[in-house]
C-alpha cells in the first residue's frame, strides 16, 4: 500500500512536472508573439503602470485558459504511464500495472508488477532516467528569438517613449517630443487680494478671478495652488517685470503694486502656462472744476456799479480733494503803466453736495465753493482788471493731481470804456446819458401823472424841457452815426428857440416801426413829407406854426440810408434809437408826453440792444490773393529764372485704418460662416497684422484700460497660432466687434467711374437710336407720300 | 369631381393590334366550326352555347390585350393656392372648388411651415385627397391625369388649363411667361394675399468705393396702415447707424459710409415701435473696393491752395500726378509725383501722345487762355479720344482774349458772367446733383464770383438756388468740366476731411472713365437677386478672345489674393454672346444656382503666361445673391405685381364668376376597370375546360 501511495504521489508529482513543462514550452513557443504584442500595447499606452499591469493580467488569463486545453488535461496518470512505456521499453508495455491493485490481479500479473515496480524504483533513483522520462524542453529557439527581439527594442527603441523608465544619459537622441509624456501643470486654486491705496478709502477686495481690475497703486497679492508643487513658479508681466511666487506649504504667493494696465502669465519652471490674464488699472482722475458764476469769461462792471462779484464753483473728484484755492492777478493801470499783482485767495465757504455715482468711479466728493469779491477791498479802482483761476488738488498720494480752471476776467470799467464798437467807430455809452434817457422816461411818466396838478403853462414848459433834453441826447448819439446838426434851414421858421434845430440829410428816417405811436405819427407824416415846408415858414398863425414845427421835426423819407439792417448791428440799432428819439422829442415839444412816452421807451430799448449787440467776426480761411493781370505779371528781370523739375515718390505707409480693416476682415472669416478653415495655423502676414493691431490697442490703453481684454485675446491667438481658443468662446467675435468699433470711418479715395455708363456705349446707343429714328421718319414720309399718290390717282 | 360626359370607348390600334384581332377572329371561326362539327347531330343548343362562350372568351381576351380606353370630359379650370394664403382666402378657394366646376386644386407653396399649416387646414376640410401638391409651376403646364397609365398614355392625357384661379402671392414673372408660352389664351383670376411686413422696392449698390457715401432706400410694406414701425440699419456690432420711424408705404433713405474693405454686412431691422419687438431682419451685403490709381496732369498759371490740397489728397492714395505751374514768362515748375516718367517740356506734356495716358487734365482759366493753337488742337483731340478736362474758371475767361477753340467750345454749352449782386462771396449750400435723395449732401462753401449759365450741359454740382457750380459737357469720348468752386480745400482745413474726399471722389467718379480694352459694363440687373433667377451681365472686349468663369466665393476677403480664392472653389465656365449692333460688346445670361457672393472673371488667355498669371490679370466683378428665404416681402410684391398685370381685373370670389365664353371642358382618355373582364374571361375559359373534360 505504501508503494502504491508512493507511486501515486510520484505520478502526481511527475504529472505536475510534465504539466509545467507543457506550460513552459507553450509559453516559449508564444514568447515572440507576446513580446511583440506587449511592446505595441505598452507603446500605445506610453508604458504606463496600468498598461503593464493590464498586460500581465492578460497573460495570466491566457495561461489559465491554457490549462483548460485538452493538451494540458491529457497529462494524467494513464497517459504518463503510457508515456513511460514509450520512453522505457524495459517496461514491456506494462507500466500501467503500477497502479493495478495486486490483490485482484493474477499470478502472472503479479510477477510482471514486481518486475515493473523494480524498474520503476530504479527509475526514481537514476536522474538520467528521470530526465529521460521528463524529456527535454522544446521551443527553446523561440524563446531565444523573443529575447533577441526584446533586446533589440531596448537598444533601438523604435518609436519608443519609455526613456523615462530608463536612464537616457548614454543615448544620443534627437527631437524626441517630451510633451506627450509630461503631465501639464494646471492651476488648482487661486485667490487674489486687492488692497486699494489708503487715500481712496476703498475696501479690500478678495476674488478668485485671475483677471484683475483695480485702482492704480493697489497692492495685489496672489495665492495660487498648482498641480505640481515641486516646480518653481513666477508671474511674468507684459511690461517685462517678473516676480517669483514663494512657496508656503502647497500655496504659492506673490505681491505687487500695480500701476499700469497690462497682461501677465504664469511661468512654471521653464515654460509658460497657456492662459493669459489681464490687469486693468483704473487711474485716479484729476479733479473737475466747473465755474457756475460768473458765466462769462469777461465780466464787465460799470464804473458806478457796486464792485462786488459773486463766484460759485463746483469741484469734484473721484476720491477726494485736498486743497482748493484761487490764484488771482490784479492789473492796475493801463497802457505802459500797467502793473500786475498776484495773490492767492481762499473761498469764503464750502458746501458739500450729496454724492453722485457713475459707472465705475463714484463722484463721492462734490463740493460747492463760494467767494464774494469786493474789488474795492482788493485795492482796485475803475479801469483795473482782476484775473482769477481756480486750482484744485485731489488727495492722491504720494503726489496729488492738480487741475486749473479757465481764467475768468473781471473788468471794472472806467467812464471812457463804456462804449460799443461798430464799423470802426466807437460808440460811447456814457452812463449819464444812458441814465438820462431813463431819466427822461421817468420824468415823462411823472409829468403824465402830474398833469392834473400842474397848470397848462407849467405842463407845457416841463414837457418842452424834456423835449430839449431828449434833443440833446439825440444829438450826442447822432454824432456817431454821421448826423449833422447845422441848425434849421429856415431861420424864420419859429420864434421859439427850441425849434431852431433842423434836420440833417444824414438822418435815418426809415425806422418807423417804433411802437404804438406809429399810427398817429403816420397820419401826421402823411401831411408833411417835403422839406420844402421848412422853407415856407411864415407867421401865418397857429396852423402854419404847427405845420412849421411838424415840418421841422418831421422825418423825410428821402434819405434812405439803409445801411446794414442786420438784427444785431449796433449802428442800425442806434439809428433806430435815434429815430425814436426824434419822435419822442416831437411829441414832448408839442406838450404831448403821453404820446412821446412809447417812443422814449423804444429809444431806450434800442440803446440797450445796441450796447449788447454781438459782433460777428468771420475768419477768412486761407488767403486768396487777388488775380494779377497778365500785363502786370512777370515784370522783373527774368534772366536768372529757369524752369525747375522735381520728382517725388510718396511712400504710402499702412495707415491705422488699413491695419484695422485687414484685421477685421481676417477675423470676420470665422463669424460669417465661410468655408475657410479656422483651424489652420496663422501665416507670417497674419501674425504681423495681429501684432500691429495689438500695438494700436496698446497705444490707447492709457485712456481706455478696458482694451486690455482684447490685447489679451490677441496674445492668446498668437500663442495658440490659430483662431480657435480654449475656454474662450466668443473671444474672437468680441475682438472683431471691438476692432469694428474703433475702426475710423475711411477716407474717400479717388477712382474712375464705377456705375456710370461707358461713354462709348452711350454714344453707340445714341447713334443707333438716331438711325432708328431716322428710319422710322423715312418710313412715315414714304407712307404719307404713298397715300398722297393713291389719292391723286 | 369627374365630369362624365359622353362615356364611349376609344381605341388607338397599331398594326400588331390589327394582326392580333385578325388572328382572333380566324381562331374564333375555326373553333366555332369545330364545335359545330363535334355537336352536329347531337345538340344544337349546346353547340350554340359553346360558340357563345367561345366568342365571349375571345372578346374578353381582345379587351384585355388591345389598348381600349374610356373618354371622359374634364374641366380646364383649376385653383392654385400660392404662398401666404390666409384663412379667409383659403375658405374662398375651397368654396369655389366645391360649388364651381373646377377640376383640380393645386397647392404651390414652397415654405415648409406654410405647407404644414395648409395640410392641417385641408385635413379639417377633408380635402386632402383632392389636392395636388406642386413643387414648381412647370408642373402646371405639364399636368397629366391618370398617372397610373403607361408613359405614352400619360403623355396623351396632358391637361391644358384655360382658366386658373390663383389665391395668395401669385406667380413670378418668369413663371407667368412660361405658363403663357405653354398655354395659349390662359385666363388668370387673381385673389391676392395681404401684404406682409417687410421692405420692398429696396435699392442699394453692391459695390462701392472706399469712403463713399452709400445709400439704402426702400419702402416699408405692411397690411396694418396705422401701426408705427422703427426701421433701423445696424452694423455687425448691433449698433444702430440710422433709424426712421415709419408707417406702411412710407419710404426711407439711409446714408452711411461702410467701414471696412471687402465684404461689409449690415442688417435692416424692422421693429414694432410700441413693443420694440424685432419683426423682420434682412441682410444687406456690400463689397467695398479700393479704386484704381489715376494719372492726372495739372497745368496752372499760378499756384493755388485748391490745387495744392488736391495734389496732396491724390498723392496720398498713390495716384500719379504731374503738376506744371508757371513761374515766369518762359519758366515752369514741373513736379512729378509717384511716376517715373521722364521730365518733358510743357509742350510735350500737352501732346496728344502724352494725353492718351492721362486720365484727367486740370487747368485754370489763365492756362486755357494762354494755350497756343497747337495746344488747343491737341487738347481738343485728346478730349474726343477720351480725356477728361477740368477747368477752374475765373475772370480770365470773361476778359478779352485771343481766339481760343477751347473757350469757344465752352461757350457752346455755357456762358459766364461775373456776379455783381449781394451774393458775392456769400457762403452757399453745395449739392451734388447726382447723389439724390438726402439733404445730408449739403455742404457750405463760398464759390467764385463767376456765374455759370447752363445751356445744355450736365449740372454736377449746384447751389441752393439750383444754379450750376460745376458743369460738364461730353465731347467725343471725353468731357469738359467747368468749376466755379475753387475753395473746396476749406473743408479740409475745417476738419471736414470726409466731405472733401467725398466731393472729389464724386467728381472724379463722374468724369474719369476706364479705358481698358477689357472691362465689365455697369450692371443693369435687379438690386436683389435670388437663386434660380437669370440675370444678364455684359462686358466689353476689344482684344483677343477670353473665357468667362464664375465661382462662388466664400472668403470674405474677396479683395485679397485672387489665386487663393480660386484655389478653394471650382470655376464654372459661362458662355457669352456677342451683341448685334455692338462692336466689342458681349453679354452672358447667367442662371444663378446658389446664394452668396459670386465672382465672375474675364480671363484673357495668353499661352505665353502661366494660368496663375492669367488669373492675376483677370478682370473681376462680384455679385451677391440673396437666399431664397430673405426679402420675403419683396418677393411677395414682385409676384403680386406680375400676377396682377396678367390677371383679369376686379375679381370677386363669386363662384359663378366663370367666364361663359371660355370652353373650359376637355376630353381625356381614362383606362376603364378590367377586373370584370378578367372574371368573365376566366369564367369562359373554365366553362370551356369543363366541357372538354366532360367530353
Amino acid at each position: 500500500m505504501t508503494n502504491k501511495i508512493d507511486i501515486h504521489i510520484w505520478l502526481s508529482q511527475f504529472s505536475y512536472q510534465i504539466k509545467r513543462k507543457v506550460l513552459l514550452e507553450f509559453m516559449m513557443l508564444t514568447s515572440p508573439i507576446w513580446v511583440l504584442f506587449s511592446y505595441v500595447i505598452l507603446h500605445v499606452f506610453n508604458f504606463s503602470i496600468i498598461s503593464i499591469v493590464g498586460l500581465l493580467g492578460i497573460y495570466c488569463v491566457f495561461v489559465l485558459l491554457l490549462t483548460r486545453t485538452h493538451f494540458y488535461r491529457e497529462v494524467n496518470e494513464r497517459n504518463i504511464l503510457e508515456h513511460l512505456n514509450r520512453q522505457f521499453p524495459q517496461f514491456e508495455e506494462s507500466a500501467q500495472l503500477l497502479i493495478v491493485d495486486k490483490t485482484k490481479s493474477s499470478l502472472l500479473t503479479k510477477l510482471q508488477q514486481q518486475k515493473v515496480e523494480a524498474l520503476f524504483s530504479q527509475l526514481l533513483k537514476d536522474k538520467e532516467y528521470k530526465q529521460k522520462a521528463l524529456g527535454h524542453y522544446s521551443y527553446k529557439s523561440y524563446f531565444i528569438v523573443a529575447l533577441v527581439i526584446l533586446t533589440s527594442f531596448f537598444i533601438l527603441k523604435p518609436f519608443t517613449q519609455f526613456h523615462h523608465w530608463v536612464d537616457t544619459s548614454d543615448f544620443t537622441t534627437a527631437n524626441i517630443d517630451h510633451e506627450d509624456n509630461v503631465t501639464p501643470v494646471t492651476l488648482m486654486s487661486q485667490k487674489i487680494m486687492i488692497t486699494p491705496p489708503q487715500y481712496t478709502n476703498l475696501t479690500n477686495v478678495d476674488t478668485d478671478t485671475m483677471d484683475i481690475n483695480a485702482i492704480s497703486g493697489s497692492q495685489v497679492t496672489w495665492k495660487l495652488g498648482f498641480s505640481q508643487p515641486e516646480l518653481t513658479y513666477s508671474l511674468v508681466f507684459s511690461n517685462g517685470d517678473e516676480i517669483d511666487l514663494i512657496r508656503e506649504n502647497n500655496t504659492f504667493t506673490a505681491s505687487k503694486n500695480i500701476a499700469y494696465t497690462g497682461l501677465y502669465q504664469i511661468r512654471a519652471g521653464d515654460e509658460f502656462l497657456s492662459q493669459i490674464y489681464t490687469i486693468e488699472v483704473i487711474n485716479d482722475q484729476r479733479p473737475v472744476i466747473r465755474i457756475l458764476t460768473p458765466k462769462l469769461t469777461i465780466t464787465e462792471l460799470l464804473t458806478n456799479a457796486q464792485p462786488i462779484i459773486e463766484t460759485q464753483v463746483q469741484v469734484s473728484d473721484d476720491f477726494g480733494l485736498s486743497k482748493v484755492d484761487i490764484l488771482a492777478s490784479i492789473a492796475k493801470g493801463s497802457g505802459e503803466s500797467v502793473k500786475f499783482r498776484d495773490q492767492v485767495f481762499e473761498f469764503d465757504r464750502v458746501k458739500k453736495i450729496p454724492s453722485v455715482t457713475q459707472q465705475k468711479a463714484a463722484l463721492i466728493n462734490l463740493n460747492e465753493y463760494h467767494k464774494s469779491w469786493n474789488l474795492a477791498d482788493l485795492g482796485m479802482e475803475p479801469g483795473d482788471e482782476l484775473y482769477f483761476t481756480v486750482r484744485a488738488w485731489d488727495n492722491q498720494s504720494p503726489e496729488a493731481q492738480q487741475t486749473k480752471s479757465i481764467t475768468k476776467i473781471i473788468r471794472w470799467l472806467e467812464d471812457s470804456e463804456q462804449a460799443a464798437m461798430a464799423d470802426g467807430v466807437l460808440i460811447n455809452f456814457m452812463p449819464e446819458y444812458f441814465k438820462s434817457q431813463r431819466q427822461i422816461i421817468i420824468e415823462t411818466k411823472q409829468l403824465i401823472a402830474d398833469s392834473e396838478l400842474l397848470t397848462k403853462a407849467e405842463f407845457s414848459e416841463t414837457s418842452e424841457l424834456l423835449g430839449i433834453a431828449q434833443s440833446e441826447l439825440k444829438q450826442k448819439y447822432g454824432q456817431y452815426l454821421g448826423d449833422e446838426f447845422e441848425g434849421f434851414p429856415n431861420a424864420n421858421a419859429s420864434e421859439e428857440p427850441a425849434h431852431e434845430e433842423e434836420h440833417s440829410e444824414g438822418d435815418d428816417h426809415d425806422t418807423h416801426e417804433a411802437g404804438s405811436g406809429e399810427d398817429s405819427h403816420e397820419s401826421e407824416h402823411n401831411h408833411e413829407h417835403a422839406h420844402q415846408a421848412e422853407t415856407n415858414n411864415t407867421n401865418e398863425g397857429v396852423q402854419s406854426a404847427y405845420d412849421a414845427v411838424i415840418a421841422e421835426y418831421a422825418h423825410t423819407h428821402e434819405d434812405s440810408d439803409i445801411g446794414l439792417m442786420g438784427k444785431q448791428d449796433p449802428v442800425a440799432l442806434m439809428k433806430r434809437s435815434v429815430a425814436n428819439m426824434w419822435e419822442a422829442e416831437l411829441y414832448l415839444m408839442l406838450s404831448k408826453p403821453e404820446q412821446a412816452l412809447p417812443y422814449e421807451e423804444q429809444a431806450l430799448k434800442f440803446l440797450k440792444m445796441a450796447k449788447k449787440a454781438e459782433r460777428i467776426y468771420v475768419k477768412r480761411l486761407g488767403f486768396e490773393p487777388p488775380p494779377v493781370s497778365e500785363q502786370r505779371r512777370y515784370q522783373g528781370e527774368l534772366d536768372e529764372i529757369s524752369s525747375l523739375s522735381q520728382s517725388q515718390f510718396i511712400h504710402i505707409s499702412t495707415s491705422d485704418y488699413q491695419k484695422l480693416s485687414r484685421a477685421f476682415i481676417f477675423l470676420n472669416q470665422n463669424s460669417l460662416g465661410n468655408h475657410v478653415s479656422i483651424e489652420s495655423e496663422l501665416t507670417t502676414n497674419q501674425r504681423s497684422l495681429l501684432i500691429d493691431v495689438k500695438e494700436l490697442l496698446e497705444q490707447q490703453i492709457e485712456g481706455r484700460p478696458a482694451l486690455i481684454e482684447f490685447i489679451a485675446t490677441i496674445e492668446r491667438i498668437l500663442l495658440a497660432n490659430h483662431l480657435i481658443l480654449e475656454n474662450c468662446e466668443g473671444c474672437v467675435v468680441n475682438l472683431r466687434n471691438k476692432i469694428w468699433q474703433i475702426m475710423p470711418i475711411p477716407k474717400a479715395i479717388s477712382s474712375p467711374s464705377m456705375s456710370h455708363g461707358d461713354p462709348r456705349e452711350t454714344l453707340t446707343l445714341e447713334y443707333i437710336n438716331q438711325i432708328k429714328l431716322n428710319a422710322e421718319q423715312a418710313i412715315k414720309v414714304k407712307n404719307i407720300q404713298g397715300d398722297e399718290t393713291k389719292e391723286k390717282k | 369631381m369627374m365630369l362624365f360626359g359622353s362615356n364611349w370607348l376609344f381605341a388607338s390600334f397599331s398594326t400588331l393590334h390589327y394582326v392580333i384581332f385578325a388572328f382572333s377572329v380566324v381562331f374564333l371561326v375555326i373553333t366555332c366550326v369545330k364545335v359545330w362539327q363535334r355537336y352536329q347531330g347531337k345538340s344544337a343548343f349546346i353547340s350554340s352555347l359553346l360558340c357563345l362562350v367561345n366568342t365571349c372568351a375571345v372578346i374578353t381576351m381582345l379587351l384585355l390585350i388591345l389598348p381600349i380606353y374610356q373618354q371622359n370630359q374634364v374641366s380646364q379650370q383649376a385653383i392654385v393656392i400660392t404662398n401666404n394664403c390666409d384663412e379667409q382666402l383659403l375658405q374662398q378657394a375651397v368654396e369655389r372648388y366645391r360649388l364651381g366646376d373646377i377640376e383640380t386644386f393645386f397647392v404651390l407653396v414652397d415654405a415648409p411651415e406654410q405647407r404644414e399649416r395648409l395640410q392641417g387646414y385641408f385635413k379639417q376640410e377633408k380635402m386632402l385627397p383632392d389636392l395636388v401638391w406642386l413643387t414648381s409651376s412647370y408642373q402646371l403646364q405639364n399636368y397629366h391625369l391618370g398617372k397610373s397609365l403607361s408613359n405614352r398614355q400619360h403623355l396623351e392625357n396632358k391637361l391644358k388649363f384655360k382658366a386658373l384661379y390663383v389665391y395668395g402671392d401669385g406667380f413670378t414673372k418668369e413663371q407667368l411667361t412660361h405658363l403663357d408660352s405653354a398655354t395659349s389664351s390662359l385666363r388668370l383670376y387673381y385673389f391676392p394675399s395681404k401684404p406682409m411686413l417687410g421692405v420692398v422696392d429696396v435699392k442699394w449698390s453692391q459695390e462701392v468705393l472706399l469712403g463713399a457715401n452709400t445709400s439704402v432706400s426702400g419702402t416699408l410694406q405692411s397690411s396694418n396702415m396705422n401701426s408705427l414701425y422703427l426701421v433701423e440699419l445696424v452694423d455687425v456690432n448691433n449698433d444702430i447707424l440710422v433709424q426712421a420711424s415709419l408707417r406702411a408705404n412710407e419710404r426711407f433713405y439711409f446714408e452711411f459710409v461702410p467701414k471696412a474693405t471687402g465684404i461689409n454686412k449690415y442688417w435692416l431691422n424692422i421693429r414694432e415701435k410700441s413693443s420694440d419687438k424685432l419683426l423682420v431682419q434682412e441682410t444687406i451685403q456690400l463689397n467695398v473696393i479700393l479704386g484704381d490709381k489715376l494719372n492726372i496732369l495739372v497745368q496752372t498759371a499760378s499756384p493755388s491752395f485748391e490745387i495744392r490740397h488736391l495734389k496732396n489728397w491724390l498723392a496720398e492714395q498713390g495716384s500719379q500726378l504731374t503738376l506744371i505751374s508757371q513761374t515766369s514768362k518762359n519758366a515752369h515748375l514741373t513736379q512729378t509725383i509717384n511716376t517715373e516718367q521722364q521730365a518733358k517740356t510743357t509742350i510735350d506734356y500737352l501732346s496728344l501722345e502724352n494725353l492718351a495716358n492721362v486720365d484727367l487734365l486740370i487747368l485754370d482759366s489763365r492756362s486755357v487762355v494762354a494755350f497756343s493753337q497747337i495746344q488747343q488742337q491737341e487738347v481738343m483731340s485728346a478730349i474726343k479720344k477720351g480725356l477728361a478736362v477740368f477747368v477752374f474758371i475765373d475772370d480770365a475767361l470773361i476778359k478779352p482774349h485771343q481766339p481760343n477753340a477751347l473757350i469757344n467750345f465752352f461757350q457752346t454749352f455755357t456762358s459766364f458772367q461775373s456776379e455783381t449782386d449781394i451774393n458775392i462771396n456769400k457762403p452757399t449750400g453745395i449739392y451734388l446733383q447726382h447723389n439724390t435723395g438726402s439733404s445730408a449732401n449739403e455742404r457750405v462753401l463760398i464759390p467764385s464770383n463767376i456765374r455759370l449759365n447752363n445751356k445744355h450741359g450736365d449740372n454736377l454740382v449746384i447751389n441752393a438756388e439750383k444754379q450750376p457750380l460745376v458743369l460738364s459737357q461730353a465731347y467725343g469720348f471725353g468731357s469738359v468740366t467747368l468749376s466755379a468752386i475753387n475753395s473746396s480745400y476749406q473743408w479740409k482745413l475745417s476738419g471736414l476731411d470726409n466731405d472733401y474726399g467725398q466731393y472729389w471722389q464724386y467728381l472724379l467718379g463722374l468724369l474719369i472713365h476706364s479705358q481698358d480694352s477689357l472691362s465689365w459694363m455697369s450692371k443693369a440687373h435687379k438690386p436683389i437677386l435670388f437663386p434660380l433667377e437669370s440675370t444678364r451681365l455684359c462686358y466689353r472686349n476689344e482684344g483677343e478672345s477670353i473665357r468667362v468663369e464664375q465661382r462662388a466665393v466664400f472668403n470674405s476677403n474677396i479683395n485679397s489674393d485672387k489665386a487663393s480664392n480660386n484655389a478653394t472653389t471650382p470655376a464654372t465656365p459661362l458662355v457669352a454672346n456677342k451683341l448685334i449692333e455692338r462692336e466689342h460688346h458681349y453679354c452672358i445670361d447667367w442662371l444663378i444656382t446658389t446664394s452668396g457672393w459670386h465672382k465672375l472673371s474675364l480671363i484673357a488667355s495668353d499661352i505665353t503666361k502661366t494660368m496663375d498669371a492669367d488669373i492675376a490679370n483677370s478682370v473681376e466683378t462680384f455679385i451677391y445673391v440673396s437666399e431664397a428665404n430673405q426679402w420675403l416681402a419683396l418677393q411677395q410684391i414682385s409676384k403680386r405685381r406680375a400676377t396682377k398685370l396678367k390677371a383679369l381685373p376686379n375679381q370677386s370670389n363669386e363662384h359663378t364668376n366663370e367666364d361663359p365664353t371660355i370652353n373650359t371642358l376637355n376630353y381625356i382618355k381614362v383606362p376603364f376597370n378590367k377586373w370584370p373582364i378578367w372574371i368573365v374571361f376566366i369564367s369562359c375559359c373554365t366553362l370551356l375546360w369543363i366541357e372538354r373534360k366532360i367530353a
Side-chain angles (χ1 to χ4, degrees), chain A residues 701-712:
Chain A
I701 202 81
E702 195 64 38
R704 298 171 70 177
L707 291 176
I708 193 66
E709 177 196 338
F710 305 102
I711 296 174

Side-chain angles (χ1 to χ4, degrees), chain A residues 624 646 657 674 737 750 753, chain B residues 237 259 301 317 334 489 512 554:
Chain A
E624 289 290 340
Q646 294 173 349
Y657 165 77
N674 290 306
N737 290 349
S750 60
S753 170
Chain B
N237 265 359
K259 271 192 171 182
Q317 297 167 39
T334 306
Y489 66 90
I512 303 174
F554 300 115

Side-chain angles (χ1 to χ4, degrees), chain B residues 403-458:
Chain B
N404 190 303
L406 261 178
I407 298 175
N408 292 342
F409 174 69
F410 295 167
Q411 286 166 345
T412 59
F413 63 92
T414 186
S415 60
F416 327 105
Q417 63 190 79
S418 281
E419 297 266 35
T420 53
D421 59 14
I422 58 168
N423 291 323
I424 290 176
N425 294 332
K426 292 272 180 182
T428 181
I430 307 287
Y431 298 87
L432 307 181
Q433 180 75 5
H434 293 288
N435 271 11
T436 54
S438 169
S439 61
N441 279 335
E442 180 186 332
R443 299 163 173 95
V444 177
L445 263 189
I446 300 176
S448 70
N449 62 340
I450 303 292
R451 178 188 288 198
L452 285 169
N453 298 314
N454 188 1
K455 289 180 184 171
H456 55 76
D458 182 16

